[in-house]
Amino acid sequence: MNTVGKDLIRVDAYGKVTGEAHYTADLEPKGILHAKVLHSEIANGVVKNFDLTEALKVPGVVKIVTCFDVPDCQFPTAGHPWSVEKAHQDICDRKILNKRVRFYGDDIAAVVAEDEVAAARALKLIKVEYEEYEPIVTVEKALSEGATPLHEDLRKDNIIVKSHMTMGGPDFSFEKAVDEASEKYGKDNIEVIDRVYNTPRISHCHLELPVSWAYVDTNGKITITSSTQIPHIVKSCTAMALGVPVGKIRIIKPYIGGGFGNKQDVLYEPLNAFLSMQVGGRPVRLEISREETISCTRTRHAIEGRCRALFTKDGKLLARKLEAYANNGAYASHGHAICANCGTVFKDLYADEMGAEVDCATVYTSSPTAGAMRAYGIPQSIWFTECLADDICNITGEDPCDFRVRSCMQEGFVDPGTKIPFLTYGLKKCIEEGRKYIKWDEKRAAYKNQKGHIRRGVGMAIFCYKTGVHPISLETASCRMVLNQDGSMQLVMGATEIGQGADTVFTQMAAETTGISCDKIYIVSTQDTDVTPFDTGAYASRQTYVSGKACKKCGELLRERILEYAAYMLVNEISDISKTVYAETVKAAKDMMKSALGIAEDSDIKPEMLDIENNAIVMRESYLKERGSEKGFEERKLFELSVLADTAFYSLDRSQHITAEVTNHCKENTFASGCCFADIEVDMPLGKVTVKDVVNVHDSGILINPKLAEAQVHGGMSMSLGFGLSEELLIDEKTGKPYNNNLLDYKIPTAMDTPDLKVRFVQLDDPSGPYGNKALGEPPAIPVAPAIRNAILNATGVAMNEAPMTSERLIKAFKEAELI
Amino acid sequence: MLKIIHMNVNGKDTELAVDEREALLDTLRNRLGLTSVKKGCEVGECGACTVLVDGKAIDSCIYLTMWADGKKVMTTEGLKGPGGELSPIQKAFIEEAAVQCGFCTPGLIMTAVEIVGTGKKYNREELKKLISGHLCRCTGYENILNAMERIVDETYKVCGK
């Protein structure tokens, strides 16, 4: 491959280092109106009445709308492709503003004003009368008898969905397995462990706040520019929310300052559109604050997992069971999909001899809504599997690395439910690579029998991850290529650049397949649903794979059309070619070709003899080789692509604007995998963990751009580090109020908290990937936290079951273990 | 009532009428169109709005425009050469793949200008501390620090103190 696999500089790097790349808020027109949202100050109840008298008196206030004024339309917000099957449709459980208050901070009214200060002042003067119910912040409370149903119209209790999955046959049960194993191996030769592990509610903390601005265009289109990962989905959900036909909505997505799944949800776009419509279609901007972003958009699910394992005393893994409860907060957002995904990977990752059983439940509570976040339930799943694996080894005394090699999902694995195969199996190679890098065996030996308050430890964790969502949901992507007169082209993807480098890798793919060089490919970074072909957006580590297939297919079609035209130019005396500036070039090419291939007649020249290389029409290398002739590029070069493009545009004989557009419906999937190894030091009296060395090893197929891939892994590792050590959005269980919805008290890692991050890849050419590639975007955010947890276990013998492992929790655990 | 102030912004003397309650962030973005200055938190937590005032990196979201009266303000727009050429700092960020979503980038680049401007040599640990007022969620800071280390070393070789 020529371009794929090279470290091309990001196509948007220049714009981003100069500050010239425009994000949503940078594109607002002058004189725009400002909107602010009034959030409820109770966590559970009903709005009875508003008194707007004082608020309306504030100079500069243009309009105040409340939950009593919005369309009576319930809509979903999940960034899923809409399903035309009723049973698979996302839950429509909210309105643009809600009378029924379901968490502290629910959207109940909004002010539009001439400036932000007026809007903020008016908000403070709105008086609200509520009927208040008891907040049900935790899963336990939401499921307790007598708890108020938060969505009475949709669910009688607060359970969104419960599901049951098994490995080892549909009737497999953990309890039965324990009985059978007692008989088979003898009661004294088996062990059962039963643990509860907890994961935190986490905020995405993309640096750009969710922001949008909307107006009604002269053609009646409700036009919203928004910082979103999913413009085409925002379009359809906004139409549902407003109760208008989908064609009335236009979404424009410029550069965005990170999303990580939070912007894989419809956030404030419908409200923003509604506000503009309420003021005669004038442009209105709606940018929420950091505090609102953390508590009123989406979070990663806090999931409690009761995990059981059955194994023989010599360490043979027989069966496991997970009972998981996901706290989904006030609205369904992605519904049960995330907790179900967590359960699927729990059962897939290990090859239990007898089987595995999973019960998952997703529960409404009066707390911030949980939705998609990078790796979609799998960081939680891997926290469970990897805590459990090391806790098993802690009993059997087996080396955790050996245990995983022996017990993990094996080569040739196919998920029995989804039929997703592990086509190129790099998991064990990753473990081998990580083990070698961290010097596992030496360190495990060296860190034995430590004394004193400061100790070292090494730990590891493995994971697997699907590539996109087929066959659970639709996978479709589109691409358009448009040739310019100079032989360059526009590349238009429905897929979105959100910082991950999508625009750059699509440019590389297009170059690889068309023969047009990267510097002549102008990717259109902005998606505009009025002109951009359909793609569901950035999530599920899908774009390089699913949208990449569309890009490849489109490139092949464009190439075919170019070569067909090239053959036409060479075969036909295009009536006017002799008069054109290209007459001699084309004639020379024709002669050269005839002599090289021993062709008598012009009409014998066929497209299959031709190719595009390095922006030129050439004689196809493979065609010549098959006929025993080997020639370099210069000897095969017929004419520049620009000669063809210019001719095709303006020929009086056959004018053709050469373009291609395809949709690719992807019906494939494959597992990616990998691991993390961490070497840590723990200062027990301080409850302080210092990561001395950490490496992620990824089995993500062929890398399109290794340097960007590595950068992507760094970011994920940092996120998992935060999951493990510092990040948790805390909610007061009595009132539902968030304690730390700001970047001072919500602790994402700073540069000082982050160790040097090491990255390794095992590159296997996956036959299902467009260029041998498979999932990479999300996996880096999965394994660091449990690897650190297991390193702490190695260092101190203390098993931490709850993330994040803050100083407070560590000190408490070390005290209980009488280590300090 | 608006007040008249004078600032030198990116090398150009500028007379402006501003609200005395206005943050420099809003003045630069809304009155002068300098949209490299990004808003991430509005309370000085994230560093995305960092600009230089008389050579010192400050969070422009919590810096009143009135305080900049009579001072020199520099934003990322001011780094580009007359022919559009990039500064060595910007080049280092590009070549080290230190840019992802790009939202924290202009602020970090301004802090890099301040650091490089000292002409001092800093090691990686010191650089980590110097940029710890900037939050980045995409990069884990790894490549940002690589770019910083490179540019600090290059500068030190030429004009080290």
Side-chain angles (χ1 to χ4, degrees):
Chain A
M1 285 190 272
N2 295 317
T3 317
V4 162
K6 301 279 191 313
D7 291 332
L8 182 73
I9 295 279
R10 283 183 76 103
V11 296
D12 52 4
Y14 181 92
K16 287 177 174 175
V17 299
T18 54
E20 290 164 11
H22 286 134
Y23 299 72
T24 297
D26 305 337
L27 294 161
E28 288 160 9
K30 287 240 188 275
I32 196 165
L33 297 171
H34 298 255
K36 283 198 183 287
V37 184
L38 182 71
H39 301 284
S40 70
E41 290 186 342
I42 62 162
N44 192 5
V46 178
V47 178
K48 301 306 282 183
N49 189 37
F50 288 101
D51 179 354
L52 305 178
T53 324
E54 294 305 312
L56 284 166
K57 286 182 191 163
V58 174
V61 167
V62 178
K63 181 93 186 176
I64 300 178
V65 297
T66 73
C67 52
F68 301 109
D69 306 322
V70 298
D72 187 19
C73 304
Q74 302 219 140
F75 64 97
T77 64
H80 292 151
W82 182 242
S83 176
V84 284
E85 292 170 46
K86 188 105 186 116
H88 292 116
Q89 288 175 351
D90 285 307
I91 301 171
C92 300
D93 66 353
R94 68 164 78 207
K95 292 178 189 166
I96 287 174
L97 297 165
N98 296 287
K99 276 181 276 200
R100 175 69 174 90
V101 169
R102 299 174 175 106
F103 75 108
Y104 190 98
D106 214 337
D107 310 325
I108 56 173
V111 178
V112 180
E114 280 166 13
D115 59 64
E116 268 188 281
V117 178
R121 281 189 172 160
L123 276 191
K124 284 190 181 155
L125 296 170
I126 297 176
K127 294 193 187 87
V128 193
E129 198 188 309
Y130 299 102
E131 180 182 316
E132 210 172 330
Y133 312 140
E134 195 195 343
I136 43 172
V137 177
T138 61
V139 167
E140 199 187 349
K141 256 204 154 160
L143 297 181
S144 65
E145 228 180 279
T148 42
L150 288 167
H151 295 267
E152 212 166 3
D153 53 333
L154 300 167
R155 298 286 187 276
K156 285 190 189 68
D157 50 24
N158 288 310
I159 295 170
I160 298 179
V161 177
K162 252 187 178 172
S163 62
H164 179 75
M165 292 177 265
T166 57
M167 288 283 255
D171 299 330
F172 177 83
S173 102
F174 186 82
E175 278 78 7
K176 269 196 288 181
V178 173
D179 292 343
E180 280 169 31
S182 306
E183 269 187 31
K184 188 173 171 192
Y185 295 99
K187 258 195 168 101
D188 297 341
N189 296 319
I190 58 164
E191 286 272 358
V192 174
I193 59 169
D194 189 342
R195 301 275 189 275
V196 176
Y197 305 117
N198 273 287
T199 70
R201 177 186 272 119
I202 279 182
S203 178
H204 306 74
C205 295
H206 36 74
L207 264 277
E208 182 196 27
L209 299 162
V211 55
S212 57
W213 56 274
Y215 69 102
V216 182
D217 210 339
T218 48
N219 61 0
K221 283 241 172 176
I222 301 157
T223 305
I224 312 165
T225 302
S226 177
S227 176
T228 179
Q229 300 171 219
I230 47 162
H232 281 282
I233 294 173
V234 172
K235 174 177 161 174
S236 48
C237 292
T238 302
M240 287 176 82
L242 295 170
V244 302
V246 72
K248 288 279 274 187
I249 309 288
R250 175 183 177 197
I251 307 292
I252 297 168
K253 177 251 158 223
Y255 284 117
I256 90 169
F260 309 114
N262 200 26
K263 297 172 186 173
Q264 193 212 334
D265 236 80
V266 178
L267 297 174
Y268 285 98
E269 295 91 346
L271 173 61
N272 195 173
F274 179 67
L275 294 175
S276 170
M277 291 161 80
Q278 292 297 300
V279 295
R282 279 185 281 169
V284 176
R285 77 187 301 270
L286 179 50
E287 179 175 41
I288 57 169
S289 68
R290 177 60 64 183
E291 291 73 13
E292 290 172 286
T293 303
I294 294 178
S295 51
C296 305
T297 58
R298 307 288 179 268
T299 67
R300 192 193 286 291
H301 290 76
I303 305 183
E304 179 176 288
R306 181 183 174 198
C307 299
R308 276 171 277 180
L310 166 69
F311 49 97
T312 61
K313 284 193 168 154
D314 56 3
K316 188 190 285 175
L317 183 62
L318 301 175
R320 290 171 309 138
K321 180 171 184 179
L322 168 69
E323 283 168 86
Y325 285 91
N327 185 333
N328 207 79
Y331 293 94
S333 176
H334 287 242
H336 188 52
I338 292 163
C339 193
N341 206 31
C342 166
T344 308
V345 161
F346 180 89
K347 69 181 178 49
D348 284 352
L349 188 64
Y350 285 88
D352 303 271
E353 190 178 275
M354 301 173 81
E357 189 185 356
V358 173
D359 282 307
C360 289
T362 300
V363 182
Y364 281 127
T365 66
S366 40
S367 65
T369 301
M373 185 176 177
R374 196 174 187 179
Y376 213 74
I378 308 309
Q380 295 95 321
S381 182
I382 296 302
W383 179 259
F384 302 152
T385 63
E386 298 313 276
C387 288
L388 192 62
D390 264 49
D391 289 353
I392 293 170
C393 295
N394 209 26
I395 291 171
T396 61
E398 187 178 2
D399 180 284
C401 206
D402 292 340
F403 172 76
R404 284 175 176 83
V405 171
R406 207 163 46 71
S407 315
C408 70
M409 65 202 300
Q410 302 292 307
E411 186 155 14
F413 177 84
V414 177
D415 181 291
T418 59
K419 309 289 178 222
I420 295 174
F422 206 146
L423 289 174
T424 41
Y425 180 82
L427 179 54
K428 285 188 189 172
K429 284 201 179 77
C430 287
I431 298 175
E432 213 174 287
E433 179 79 21
R435 182 178 200 150
K436 202 166 68 190
Y437 169 84
I438 210 88
K439 300 192 173 65
W440 176 265
D441 298 281
E442 293 95 305
K443 284 179 181 166
R444 289 295 284 201
Y447 297 162
K448 266 187 188 149
N449 306 318
Q450 292 175 83
K451 298 272 184 291
H453 281 158
I454 297 176
R455 296 185 191 177
R456 294 287 292 265
V458 277
M460 54 105 52
I462 59 171
F463 68 87
C464 65
Y465 201 77
K466 297 180 276 287
T467 308
V469 301
H470 173 81
I472 301 150
S473 193
L474 169 69
E475 274 300 5
T476 187
S478 312
C479 172
R480 181 187 304 139
M481 293 179 181
V482 178
L483 196 66
N484 295 320
Q485 291 88 331
D486 61 353
S488 65
M489 70 149 145
Q490 276 70 253
L491 170 59
V492 189
M493 297 295 300
T496 56
E497 167 67 62
I498 63 166
Q500 79 284 53
D503 282 356
T504 307
V505 297
F506 292 137
T507 302
Q508 288 177 264
M509 290 176 185
E512 185 68 45
T513 300
T514 61
I516 298 173
S517 57
C518 289
D519 60 323
K520 293 190 192 300
I521 297 174
Y522 301 97
I523 187 156
V524 178
S525 189
T526 297
Q527 279 71 37
D528 174 341
T529 56
D530 264 15
V531 292
T532 308
F534 187 81
D535 190 300
T536 49
Y539 58 86
S541 303
R542 61 180 288 280
Q543 289 193 154
T544 311
Y545 185 84
V546 174
S547 309
K549 283 170 189 267
C551 186
K552 186 177 186 182
K553 194 168 156 186
C554 191
E556 284 163 355
L557 183 62
L558 184 80
R559 180 193 190 87
E560 196 182 301
R561 288 185 177 156
I562 291 171
L563 295 180
E564 191 275 328
Y565 197 93
Y568 183 87
M569 278 171 75
L570 290 162
V571 170
N572 293 281
E573 277 298 327
I574 290 187
S575 60
D576 55 347
I577 199 107
S578 59
K579 293 184 222 158
T580 72
V581 291
Y582 303 124
E584 281 177 28
T585 313
V586 175
K587 185 171 183 319
K590 193 185 299 192
D591 293 344
M592 178 176 160
M593 202 164 170
K594 277 156 76 179
S595 94
L597 294 172
I599 296 173
E601 298 296 325
D602 290 359
S603 59
D604 292 335
I605 297 175
K606 300 278 183 268
E608 58 267 25
M609 299 170 186
L610 302 168
D611 207 346
I612 313 167
E613 268 177 52
N614 199 17
N615 308 307
I617 304 295
V618 298
M619 287 183 272
R620 185 176 293 225
E621 194 174 18
S622 59
Y623 189 85
L624 287 170
K625 265 193 190 152
E626 282 160 19
R627 281 150 192 81
S629 166
E630 283 202 32
K631 287 178 188 296
F633 169 73
E634 286 301 331
E635 292 171 292
R636 289 184 290 112
K637 182 173 163 182
L638 298 170
F639 47 81
E640 296 290 339
L641 181 55
S642 58
V643 170
L644 178 145
D646 212 21
T647 305
F649 261 85
Y650 301 118
S651 167
L652 294 175
D653 181 53
R654 182 184 158 187
S655 168
Q656 182 184 347
H657 187 196
I658 299 178
T659 65
E661 179 162 345
V662 302
T663 295
N664 187 63
H665 182 175
C666 171
K667 294 183 179 175
E668 287 174 295
N669 201 324
T670 181
F671 278 101
S673 70
C675 60
C676 173
F677 282 77
D679 178 5
I680 60 117
E681 179 181 275
V682 50
D683 182 328
M684 292 191 289
L686 287 180
K688 187 175 160 57
V689 173
T690 309
V691 178
K692 294 290 190 186
D693 201 359
V694 61
V695 66
N696 263 26
V697 191
H698 287 271
D699 157 36
S700 289
I702 299 294
L703 304 174
I704 310 298
N705 185 319
K707 187 118 178 165
L708 292 191
E710 191 185 73
Q712 181 89 335
V713 177
H714 293 149
M717 290 175 78
S718 158
M719 233 172 218
S720 188
L721 187 74
F723 179 117
L725 294 175
S726 62
E727 290 184 41
E728 182 165 29
L729 176 59
L730 299 164
I731 307 294
D732 185 330
E733 289 187 12
K734 286 200 186 80
T735 61
K737 268 193 203 181
Y739 280 123
N740 58 339
N741 55 336
N742 59 72
L743 293 175
L744 184 66
D745 299 315
Y746 182 87
K747 299 287 187 192
I748 71 167
T750 69
M752 288 182 80
D753 305 312
T754 310
D756 283 340
L757 304 165
K758 297 290 188 295
V759 182
R760 297 286 184 275
F761 293 102
V762 168
Q763 292 198 51
L764 302 172
D765 192 347
D766 197 283
S768 71
Y771 301 89
N773 55 298
K774 50 185 187 175
L776 176 66
E778 296 161 289
I782 299 170
V784 179
I788 292 172
R789 182 264 186 193
N790 290 337
I792 296 171
L793 175 62
N794 177 233
T796 65
V798 173
M800 298 298 297
N801 295 339
E802 187 166 16
M805 298 170 287
T806 57
S807 298
E808 189 188 355
R809 285 184 181 143
L810 285 166
I811 288 171
K812 187 166 169 268
F814 296 145
K815 277 187 175 160
E816 277 168 13
E818 296 178 348
L819 288 166
I820 52 172
Chain B
M1 275 289 281
L2 298 181
K3 298 226 162 136
I4 302 292
I5 63 154
H6 296 88
M7 300 188 285
N8 180 292
V9 182
N10 294 332
K12 196 177 157 195
D13 288 329
T14 308
E15 186 180 64
L16 272 180
V18 300
D19 189 313
E20 62 183 340
R21 300 162 302 180
E22 199 168 308
L24 184 57
L25 164 72
D26 294 321
T27 307
L28 294 172
R29 284 185 62 85
N30 303 336
R31 297 191 192 275
L32 296 173
L34 297 169
T35 54
S36 76
V37 189
K38 300 297 186 204
K39 178 159 84 177
C41 69
E42 283 190 285
V43 285
E45 291 161 355
C46 78
C49 65
T50 303
V51 301
L52 301 186
V53 175
D54 284 347
K56 253 185 87 75
I58 57 106
D59 289 323
S60 64
C61 68
I62 48 169
Y63 190 98
L64 288 177
T65 307
M66 296 304 291
W67 299 341
D69 193 7
K71 294 190 169 137
K72 280 187 181 164
V73 176
M74 192 183 219
T75 71
T76 307
E77 283 88 347
L79 292 179
K80 215 161 135 176
E85 57 275 25
L86 296 178
S87 72
I89 294 166
Q90 290 167 309
K91 276 190 205 150
F93 266 69
I94 290 179
E95 286 162 15
E96 296 296 331
V99 179
Q100 289 191 40
C101 85
F103 209 75
C104 71
T105 307
L108 268 156
I109 285 178
M110 295 321 290
T111 289
V113 172
E114 184 194 36
I115 294 170
V116 167
T118 64
K120 286 185 193 156
K121 193 164 168 69
Y122 295 102
N123 65 29
R124 204 171 173 94
E125 286 309 305
E126 289 166 331
L127 286 171
K128 281 186 177 182
K129 193 170 176 186
L130 287 168
I131 66 160
S132 62
H134 290 270
L135 296 179
C136 170
R137 195 59 151 169
C138 299
T139 66
Y141 310 98
E142 185 75 20
N143 290 352
I144 291 170
L145 286 161
N146 289 344
M148 290 276 199
E149 255 185 341
R150 172 176 149 183
I151 194 65
V152 164
D153 286 352
E154 280 172 16
T155 312
Y156 185 74
K157 271 179 209 150
V158 180
C159 55
K161 281 182 191 168

